[in-house]
Amino acid sequence: MNNYFIKRTGRAVLTLWVTVTLTFGLIRAIPGGPLEMLRARLVRQGVDPTRIDAIIQSRQEESQPIYVEYYEYMSSLLSGNLGESFYFREPVSSIITDALPWTVFVMVTATIILFAIAIVWGAIIAYKEGSTFDTVSSGLSILMSSVPFYVLGILFVVVLSYRFGIFPARYRTSPGVTASLSIQFVGNALYHAALPIASIVITQVGLQTLAMRGNSIQVLGEDFVRVARLRGLSDRRIAVRYVGRNAILPMYTGFLTLIGFNLGGSVILEEIFTYTGIGYYMFEALINRDYALMMGIFLVITTALVLSVYIADLTYGLVDPRVKSGDSSEAY
Amino acid sequence: MKHTESETGTEEEFSFGAAQSEVEVSTADRLRDIYREFIYKPGLVAWEDNRTRIGASILAVYVFIGTVGTWFYRAPTTNQSERSLQPFQTWEAPLGTTSSGEDVLAMAIHATPEMLIMILSGGIFATVLAVLIGTVAGYKGGTTDRVLTTFSDVAMSIPGLPLIMVLAVVISPERATVIGILITINYWAGLARSIRSQVLTIREHSYVEASRTMGVSTPRIIFKDVIPNIMPYVLVNFANAARYVVFASVGLYYLGILPTSVANWGIQLNNAYSRAGALSGGGTMYQLVVPMIAIMFLALGLILLAQGMDRVFNPRVRTRLAGESESETEDDEDAAAPTEVMT
């Protein structure tokens, strides 16, 4: 176990290091570069050419050997300095601290809701396998999975927000609502997050339901369930203790991974709902070629994903006692 | 898959027995064997399932539209018909026109070939890479395994969509093939991991061991003994990868991150959403709905295909009425550890 823990931690650190190096390389690979973009912007603003040259000169740093730049990049990252956003003229870290909680709130809520639905629904379908209910539910699950979340999101905005005005189409809260732990604030935040959450839940619940159905069917066929029946245990006890437990456990890692995965999808989702989380800022950064912000958010999303998979891997042994050491976690 | 001959017993023996045999199997024979083993047999088994049948039919319609359809239906240009025409008004533009007089149906049809190319290139790239890395890692074990597994773990932990977006901005790809590969730039990793765990069980099988003792070379064992066994599983995941390519590419086109020189349903969505005033309720919903339906049915076809085949090949999803499925899977009694691949 200890050995596995060290190895797994090493791998997480390695992944983060690769990503950081990748972003470092990407920033240098981007044609133009920040100074060129600055020049273009100043030209658009009609600034006098000699002044532009002076500004560029003053911003120009001595070109250093690549390893020195790399070292400085790494050390500033480690001290939490992600640079300054070119477009918003704010430190990248302060933009991220402002936006990240909202994205995490939407994605975690959505993932919890969709897993709750998938587990109950999938278990019921499995129990009634072969019935009309099974056919209809499985068909519906597949049908829902064939809609990309952003397509449903666009439909929601067009129909529910603009046509009928039931839900707000933009922003995290209504103007004037300040962040506090009041009922008004929480309610307002939920109201604004309802459509983004719904579009994730509806389009992703299908595949998880089918996975749960598959797990449950497999468990139902196991000998220990038959033995439990023969022992005359109550249906409830069999359903919860024997089938439910064994069918849900394999979905545990999927749950944490999906949260991380959805954080990556936030760019499209938040752009559609004009929800100012990290995805929204990443899109703005991409459009404005704001490389510092773009790479900062990319790093944050990667870190979140690496951490969630890391936690999933390390805790899987705790929730599922059958997995003794981590290496056998892939043997199920 | 270079030299994958058939895996039937007689031929196996034959090619081993006479290592440099004079009686070469002709290319036609070999192709016929490959067809029988990897397409006809799994196809026949999968065809039993309604989902596979419907999925394959839907995909066939798309292929038809993307190949023949584009020849018969005019390409979209501005002002080819009256502007802002509602659907079902004239035969000239059955699904209406945009505010610049472009035929909406023509736009949808002419986006299909590029999408199919993207799916193919992305799907092939992801599955071939995953099969190579997964089988070698699983079969060889040891240091090779450790290096390859770490490599795919790292690739897997980098979030796909943001990475693709950043790369799309950096290299701004124009060709559909390049876009397909870009989208699956790290998608292969998850698939490689699950293929590896399948191979781990296959390598212990007696016939693999037999080949090993006979001194058959590793590449030959991998191609002849291991890969045929995971082929059905690979086909299922090809369909899943294809769906991922559809979703990701349309999303990126919708955001305008990919170059808009190519026709795509995502661009159509974006135009309908931001320019045509579908928001203000100006009666332009049809411009949104047409590309949405195009995306949905393609994804539906791919999911149905994957699910239908998965039911046959994946024991976890197989029905507990064992009798029903056993007869169907004569060539796959060892479909190994089931693993779900995240979408």
Side-chain angles (χ1 to χ4, degrees):
Chain A
M1 186 69 202
N2 252 342
N3 191 22
Y4 173 72
F5 179 79
I6 293 164
K7 262 201 242 163
R8 188 61 190 80
T9 311
R11 214 178 70 204
V13 173
L14 176 72
T15 310
L16 286 179
W17 175 73
V18 167
T19 318
V20 169
T21 310
L22 193 71
T23 52
F24 175 81
L26 278 173
I27 293 174
R28 267 142 201 85
I30 290 166
L35 284 178
E36 289 303 308
M37 296 308 278
L38 177 67
R39 183 189 290 276
R41 201 160 55 136
L42 291 173
V43 168
R44 270 203 306 277
Q45 287 170 355
V47 181
D48 184 53
T50 48
R51 266 202 61 206
I52 295 180
D53 283 342
I55 294 172
I56 299 284
Q57 278 290 313
S58 70
R59 293 268 195 122
Q60 195 115 45
E61 283 154 20
E62 290 277 305
S63 79
Q64 286 165 312
I66 192 98
Y67 60 89
V68 177
E69 281 188 36
Y70 183 69
Y71 173 76
E72 279 172 5
Y73 177 79
M74 291 296 275
S75 50
S76 66
L77 275 189
L78 287 176
S79 62
N81 178 12
L82 294 170
E84 188 170 331
S85 161
F86 208 69
Y87 181 76
F88 294 98
R89 300 181 162 280
E90 260 182 88
V92 169
S93 49
S94 75
I95 295 179
I96 290 176
T97 24
D98 168 60
L100 186 62
W102 294 90
T103 307
V104 171
F105 159 65
V106 168
M107 291 311 172
V108 170
T109 316
T111 314
I112 290 175
I113 294 176
L114 87 88
F115 267 81
I117 297 175
I119 284 169
V120 174
W121 192 14
I124 297 174
I125 302 178
Y127 195 71
K128 303 193 171 182
E129 196 206 346
S131 65
T132 321
F133 178 72
D134 178 20
T135 319
V136 172
S137 297
S138 299
L140 196 64
S141 300
I142 292 179
L143 209 61
M144 290 197 303
S145 321
S146 67
V147 186
F149 67 87
Y150 51 84
V151 163
L152 191 64
I154 293 170
L155 268 184
F156 276 161
V157 171
V158 169
V159 178
L160 294 181
S161 298
Y162 281 90
R163 186 71 48 86
F164 295 110
I166 304 172
F167 283 98
R170 45 185 61 222
Y171 308 136
R172 321 189 280 214
T173 54
S174 305
V177 178
T178 46
S180 63
L181 263 180
S182 65
I183 295 172
Q184 191 211 6
F185 170 72
V186 175
N188 195 276
L190 278 173
Y191 183 48
H192 279 257
L195 288 187
I197 290 177
S199 51
I200 293 265
V201 169
I202 294 174
T203 54
Q204 293 187 355
V205 77
L207 281 185
Q208 299 301 328
T209 303
L210 290 176
M212 179 67 190
R213 174 184 179 274
N215 292 352
S216 307
I217 287 175
Q218 200 200 17
V219 177
L220 281 172
E222 301 272 357
D223 288 340
F224 63 82
V225 176
R226 258 174 239 165
V227 172
R229 282 236 174 77
L230 290 176
R231 279 171 64 200
L233 296 182
S234 74
D235 276 357
R236 235 198 78 153
R237 197 178 159 87
I238 296 178
V240 176
R241 277 281 188 82
Y242 288 69
V243 181
R245 200 180 147 84
N246 285 292
I248 292 168
L249 281 176
M251 298 181 76
Y252 171 73
T253 43
F255 171 72
L256 285 174
T257 318
L258 196 62
I259 292 180
F261 178 81
N262 276 335
L263 282 179
S266 65
V267 185
I268 304 181
L269 188 78
E270 292 179 356
E271 176 56 22
I272 286 170
F273 289 101
T274 327
Y275 195 87
T276 44
I278 51 163
Y280 177 81
Y281 282 110
M282 171 128 184
F283 180 73
E284 291 295 308
L286 284 170
I287 294 299
N288 295 305
R289 301 293 188 269
D290 188 343
Y291 297 124
L293 185 56
M294 188 164 113
M295 295 305 177
I297 295 179
F298 180 63
L299 279 182
V300 168
I301 295 178
T302 311
T303 311
L305 187 60
V306 170
L307 277 182
S308 55
V309 178
Y310 177 66
I311 294 171
D313 276 4
L314 287 192
T315 50
Y316 194 74
L318 295 179
V319 294
D320 189 350
R322 284 171 302 184
V323 182
K324 277 172 227 84
S325 84
D327 276 326
S328 53
S329 68
E330 60 192 28
Y332 64 92
Chain B
M1 262 114 291
K2 283 174 282 179
H3 37 265
T4 29
E5 285 150 64
S6 93
E7 35 131 39
T8 47
T10 47
E11 228 146 57
E12 195 103 328
E13 211 175 61
F14 166 83
S15 42
F16 291 157
Q20 267 84 44
S21 68
E22 313 94 69
V23 199
E24 264 304 318
V25 186
S26 78
T27 320
D29 280 346
R30 192 171 304 178
L31 282 177
R32 204 170 49 235
D33 279 340
I34 292 174
Y35 168 76
R36 270 238 311 279
E37 283 304 316
F38 297 151
I39 297 168
Y40 180 73
K41 272 194 194 168
L44 201 67
V45 176
W47 195 251
E48 294 291 307
D49 197 290
N50 267 332
R51 288 173 293 190
T52 322
R53 237 173 289 178
I54 301 170
S57 315
I58 292 176
L59 291 185
V61 170
Y62 274 89
V63 172
F64 181 77
I65 291 174
T67 51
V68 184
T70 48
W71 282 93
F72 281 92
Y73 205 87
R74 60 180 179 174
T77 49
T78 44
N79 287 323
Q80 56 189 175
S81 288
E82 212 179 309
R83 293 171 178 222
S84 299
L85 212 57
Q86 287 286 317
F88 311 123
Q89 301 292 312
T90 63
W91 271 114
E92 204 192 346
L95 295 179
T97 56
T98 66
S99 54
S100 54
E102 275 184 274
D103 185 345
V104 172
L105 180 63
M107 289 166 83
I109 287 179
H110 282 265
T112 316
E114 298 282 338
M115 184 54 89
L116 294 178
I117 295 173
M118 253 181 261
I119 286 179
L120 267 185
S121 68
I124 291 174
F125 172 77
T127 35
V128 167
L129 202 59
V131 167
L132 282 180
I133 293 185
T135 46
V136 171
Y139 182 74
K140 288 288 275 184
T143 317
T144 318
D145 181 26
R146 265 200 300 283
V147 171
L148 290 179
T149 308
T150 311
F151 178 49
S152 34
D153 277 339
V154 168
M156 204 162 67
S157 309
I158 298 174
L161 215 48
L163 177 69
I164 299 163
M165 286 174 179
V166 172
L167 286 176
V169 165
V170 174
I171 62 180
S172 58
E174 299 262 348
R175 297 173 64 101
T177 40
V178 180
I179 294 173
I181 292 172
L182 177 73
I183 286 172
T184 48
I185 190 90
N186 73 340
Y187 184 86
W188 58 267
L191 184 51
R193 278 305 300 260
S194 51
I195 286 178
R196 173 182 169 271
S197 55
Q198 302 236 350
V199 173
L200 281 181
T201 61
I202 292 175
R203 70 191 287 226
E204 306 301 333
H205 279 292
S206 49
Y207 62 88
V208 178
E209 219 166 297
S211 296
R212 213 164 23 225
T213 7
M214 283 162 71
V216 181
S217 73
T218 308
R220 210 180 160 84
I221 295 182
I222 287 179
F223 277 112
K224 291 199 62 174
D225 294 340
V226 178
I227 288 183
N229 276 294
I230 53 167
M231 212 52 204
Y233 184 73
V234 170
L235 289 178
V236 170
N237 282 288
F238 182 87
N240 282 332
R243 192 178 66 109
Y244 177 73
V245 173
V246 175
F247 280 13
S249 68
V250 172
L252 294 181
Y253 273 114
Y254 170 78
L255 288 181
I257 288 173
L258 288 174
T260 48
S261 52
V262 189
N264 187 280
W265 303 318
I267 299 169
Q268 249 184 305
L269 275 182
N270 190 352
N271 284 340
Y273 185 79
S274 53
R275 284 198 223 143
L279 286 183
S280 46
T284 49
M285 267 298 275
Y286 64 94
Q287 288 183 36
L288 270 180
V289 171
V290 172
M292 279 181 184
I293 289 178
I295 300 160
M296 265 188 59
F297 269 93
L298 182 51
L300 183 66
L302 290 167
I303 295 185
L304 283 171
L305 199 66
Q307 289 282 337
M309 294 198 296
D310 205 36
R311 174 198 159 101
V312 180
F313 297 118
N314 187 344
R316 173 165 279 182
V317 197
R318 210 179 277 165
T319 123
R320 75 190 120 127
L321 307 166
E324 186 193 323
S325 49
E326 227 150 52
S327 58
E328 288 173 1
T329 53
E330 17 97 75
D331 57 340
D332 193 56
E333 75 277 72
D334 46 27
T339 15
E340 295 112 81
V341 173
M342 289 320 303
T343 42

